[in-house]
Amino acid sequence: MKLKKPNAFSIISFFIIITLVFCKTVSAGNPIGETADSNYILSNELSTTDNKMNISALESTAHTDKTSSSIWKSRKFKTQIKGLSLGDVDGDSRNETVFINRKKIFIYRYSSGRFEKIREIQGKNYDNFISVDVADINNNGKSEIFVTNLSGNDRLRSFVLEWNGTKFKKIVDKANWYYRILNESSHGHNILLGQKRGVNRIFFKGIYELKWNKGKYAPADRQIVPKWMNVYSFNYGDVLNNGQKVIIAFTHDDYVRILDKDGQEEWTSSERYGGSATYLEDFSESDSSKNKRTDDPKAMNRIYLPQRLHIVDLYKDGKKEVVVVRNVDAAGRVFARLRTFKSGHIECLIWDNFGLYQKWKTREISGHISDYVIGDIDNDGQDELVFSVVAKTGSVFGKARSFIVSQGIN
């Protein structure tokens, strides 16, 4: 019997299987994002209960001294955390932590050394929560919870929750908007951005600031950004520390780019940052994706959503830093449709005359960082770096595991 010669597809498939088994990485074939590594955070394994301890958590470069920071790690959650945000969602002047998996919203509060459950809100079987943001956009003293939700038929059915005194009630439902909150420094407050999904397009042209008006979030100011950007890929701020607002954004292949006020390229990183396991399927492009460059977004029928880009004056010295996630792909982004993260960390970047350089970074974390914010998680009056880590994916061999970490900055 003559054996068939293996074709290219068989060879590639075999390589992918070997990578997943032996590297214990995260496969983005699951829209939530996964990792199979059982090591937890930094170079210290903490207890499975809530912890706080002082360790040297920030690895500085030659530009700064090493900083000793307080690290807190939540218990393990038997789920895959997709998104995370902070805010006072019940109007009691204390911040809550809101995070999501594919179909559930979790609302917790750090209080008296414990991470306590406030509410868990179950979605529908056909829901696919894409992102979560928290901010008081309607200015009533309680932060709303903005959930971008893709239903089973690939239609946006986003919604907004608000505390009414007894429960979290939907004040907006089935909205055709991708939501994103920006802490835009020139405004001095949070702004809500939105972009619609088209009939045959994942992102319809036009990104708008949404303002609360007559009981709804209405599109107001259209954002002047290049056409290749989407609502998740950019932020505004004085990144150059010269008093001028510029745009900083992820390119489609996760390089960081700075554009001046005229939209011209000021700088682009030589290395990739970000790295998300959350993606959207673009079936309209699948047939036309053959024989195109893998870095061309139109050549992909799987569009990965960018991570957040934070612009913030961390040390209250009048200089803005850029804080960004950097998840490491074991395959080096060779495959357009597959991402296999083995580890990740967060970096603080600051501008000089040549570009953004690294001021400090956290130690490498096994798994990948699925989302992160800067805020006061423990209500002590000091902001922390707060991020969610997917440590293990759910499979026939075991349940998923994720946890939340806060790390002191100053």
Side-chain angles (χ1 to χ4, degrees), residues 27-61:
S27 170
N30 187 310
I32 299 175
E34 328 175 318
T35 180
D37 202 302
S38 61
N39 295 322
Y40 293 131
I41 174 171
L42 311 177
S43 62
N44 298 272
E45 183 171 316
L46 306 182
S47 167
T48 57
T49 58
D50 296 347
N51 276 275
K52 209 157 192 175
M53 62 183 296
N54 289 321
I55 67 172
S56 181
L58 303 181
E59 290 185 348
S60 63
T61 66

Side-chain angles (χ1 to χ4, degrees), residues 9-116:
F9 177 79
S10 300
I11 295 172
I12 292 173
S13 299
F14 176 78
F15 174 78
I16 292 173
I17 293 170
I18 292 298
T19 301
L20 292 176
V21 172
F22 288 94
C23 293
K24 296 183 178 180
T25 56
V26 50
S27 170
N30 187 310
I32 299 175
E34 328 175 318
T35 180
D37 202 302
S38 61
N39 295 322
Y40 293 131
I41 174 171
L42 311 177
S43 62
N44 298 272
E45 183 171 316
L46 306 182
S47 167
T48 57
T49 58
D50 296 347
N51 276 275
K52 209 157 192 175
M53 62 183 296
N54 289 321
I55 67 172
S56 181
L58 303 181
E59 290 185 348
S60 63
T61 66
H63 300 284
T64 57
D65 296 327
K66 182 176 283 190
T67 304
S68 181
S69 299
S70 179
I71 295 285
W72 168 85
K73 171 183 172 286
S74 76
R75 66 175 176 84
K76 295 188 298 291
F77 292 92
K78 294 180 180 179
T79 189
Q80 295 167 310
I81 298 176
K82 293 183 70 174
L84 170 77
S85 195
L86 298 178
D88 178 13
V89 297
D90 57 4
D92 67 349
S93 301
R94 294 183 294 172
N95 285 333
E96 284 75 41
T97 304
V98 181
F99 53 102
I100 58 170
N101 65 12
R102 187 181 174 103
K103 303 178 190 298
K104 185 182 287 188
I105 302 165
F106 303 80
I107 305 172
Y108 278 65
R109 183 190 300 122
Y110 186 94
S111 179
S112 301
R114 297 184 62 83
F115 199 47
E116 300 174 339

